[in-house]
Amino acid sequence: LGQQHGASFKFSYFERLTDDVVLRVFSFLSSTHLALCSRVCRRWHVLAWDPHLWSSIYLSGENLPTDRALKSITRVLGRASPPFCPAVERVVINSCTRLTDRGLQTLSRRCPELRHVELRGCVQLTDVGVLELVSKCVHLSHLDVSGCSQITCIDAGPRSNGNNGDRYKSDLSSSSRPQLYLQLQYIDLTDCVSLEDTGIQMIVRSCAQLTCIYLRRCVHITGINN
């Protein structure tokens, strides 16, 4: 704040900046800080939610209510073209232990243009949420679920109404099983300790364009039969 000629009038130097300059400054902020800036004043609210700032969403923190955060962010971003957020192409979520399949459902339904998703250390995620994400975001090519200990497969086939293991009891080679080929080229499954050989077989069969897969410390993998 500053004063002019000793008067009591105070002004913010930031207010002198043009919208383009403010947007440039905001472009260096994380998603969390952008959301906080949007609460400062009406002008900042409009600028902080400019779609050009939200091609990527970055969230982190064990205590962050991630499902609610994703719902709130996508609701605001989807105002221009409800309920979709076509500008969002990249999502990075680190160590958000409160992220669940419900949060992934929000992303899959509202961010159809996703191409790059990192969900590292999100231990509550299961196959159901990941399946919905990769099935509905048809342009998705990069997926990192390292440290998601409940993941057993990234299966493009139909979902089972039973538990996660039930869907693998059917014959993998069954011709009657509808097959959806995913666009995934990169998958990181490091520390996915529930992953087994059957899950790897399904991933390979569903991802015809796969060029890179990481399986570090996947302790139950013993071998892959072609």
Side-chain angles (χ1 to χ4, degrees):
L1 295 177
Q3 290 186 343
Q4 190 173 19
H5 303 301
S8 60
F9 171 72
K10 294 183 178 181
F11 62 88
S12 167
Y13 289 104
F14 205 89
E15 290 299 319
R16 294 184 173 184
L17 302 179
T18 65
D19 287 353
D20 288 341
V21 174
V22 175
L23 287 172
R24 177 61 176 168
V25 173
F26 282 179
S27 70
F28 294 99
L29 300 180
S30 68
S31 302
T32 302
H33 288 120
L34 276 175
L36 290 174
C37 285
S38 71
R39 302 178 182 180
V40 172
C41 63
R42 183 176 300 176
R43 183 192 182 206
W44 282 29
H45 178 84
V46 173
L47 294 177
W49 289 109
D50 187 294
H52 293 92
L53 298 176
W54 292 91
S55 61
S56 299
I57 295 175
Y58 295 91
L59 299 174
S60 63
E62 294 183 357
N63 296 320
L64 181 70
T66 320
D67 291 353
R68 188 173 63 187
L70 289 173
K71 185 176 181 179
S72 299
I73 289 171
T74 54
R75 182 190 295 120
V76 177
L77 292 176
R79 287 176 180 173
S81 54
F84 302 112
C85 309
V88 180
E89 297 184 355
R90 180 186 181 100
V91 171
V92 177
I93 300 177
N94 289 324
S95 302
C96 290
T97 56
R98 297 176 64 179
L99 176 66
T100 70
D101 291 340
R102 183 172 297 180
L104 293 193
Q105 290 170 0
T106 297
L107 287 177
S108 63
R109 294 171 184 174
R110 297 186 177 181
C111 304
E113 298 300 321
L114 279 175
R115 286 166 167 76
H116 183 115
V117 174
E118 298 179 25
L119 305 167
R120 294 190 290 264
C122 301
V123 295
Q124 291 198 56
L125 297 182
T126 72
D127 297 348
V128 175
V130 174
L131 170 60
E132 183 158 2
L133 181 72
V134 299
S135 298
K136 292 187 176 180
C137 299
V138 297
H139 303 296
L140 189 63
S141 62
H142 182 113
L143 179 65
D144 183 345
V145 289
S146 55
C148 298
S149 55
Q150 296 191 57
I151 301 299
T152 64
C153 184
I154 300 171
D155 179 15
R159 280 176 287 182
S160 167
N161 291 327
N163 59 41
N164 289 343
D166 289 343
R167 75 176 67 125
Y168 305 132
K169 294 180 180 179
S170 61
D171 182 5
L172 292 176
S173 62
S174 173
S175 59
S176 62
R177 189 169 185 263
Q179 184 66 47
L180 172 65
Y181 291 102
L182 306 176
Q183 301 300 311
L184 287 170
Q185 300 176 23
Y186 175 102
I187 303 176
D188 193 338
L189 296 161
T190 298
D191 292 320
C192 291
V193 294
S194 298
L195 188 67
E196 298 182 352
D197 294 348
T198 305
I200 293 298
Q201 292 174 4
M202 286 187 168
I203 291 172
V204 171
R205 297 186 186 197
S206 298
C207 305
Q209 299 188 41
L210 189 63
T211 60
C212 183
I213 182 169
Y214 287 96
L215 302 170
R216 293 173 292 233
R217 295 183 294 279
C218 295
V219 294
H220 294 298
I221 295 178
T222 60
I224 301 176
N225 296 321
N226 294 325

